[in-house]
Amino acid sequence: EALVGVKNWIMDILRKRDDAYKFYSGEATGREAFDKLSWEDYAAIRLLDYIDNAGREFKDPNLRGEKAISNPIKLIWLAVTSYG
């Protein structure tokens, strides 16, 4: 539920930033499109990448091939709420 809320919030922001939205959606690619992005755009796109890939399983060579599940947003949430 939190992932959906964060994704909706970020997508609302990206839709107002045409170059960033086109880059994220794949409508614009390459170095020229990338150079049009601001650091805020990079951050928003990176967060969306985290959300889009949450829950994916990978064989982790550091765990001797055991599966690791990617969910960085959850890890950030746990770090923030557990701190203090």
Side-chain angles (χ1 to χ4, degrees):
E1 189 176 315
L3 292 178
V4 172
V6 171
K7 184 170 185 169
N8 290 338
W9 172 59
I10 295 171
M11 288 303 293
D12 287 344
I13 293 168
L14 273 192
R15 285 186 186 101
K16 296 174 188 168
R17 304 178 66 87
D18 193 50
D19 291 330
Y21 182 77
K22 286 180 179 176
F23 190 84
Y24 171 71
S25 66
E27 292 177 45
T29 60
R31 185 65 191 203
E32 187 176 327
F34 180 80
D35 286 341
K36 292 179 181 179
L37 303 177
S38 69
W39 69 267
E40 292 98 340
D41 299 333
Y42 302 140
I45 291 168
R46 187 67 185 127
L47 286 170
L48 289 171
D49 182 57
Y50 284 147
I51 292 167
D52 292 342
N53 290 288
R56 287 186 64 193
E57 293 183 2
F58 301 90
K59 285 186 179 180
D60 188 337
N62 295 313
L63 300 174
R64 293 178 171 65
E66 289 184 37
K67 290 183 181 177
I69 299 173
S70 171
N71 200 340
I73 299 294
K74 181 179 179 182
L75 293 176
I76 293 168
W77 173 255
L78 290 173
V80 169
T81 59
S82 299
Y83 184 75

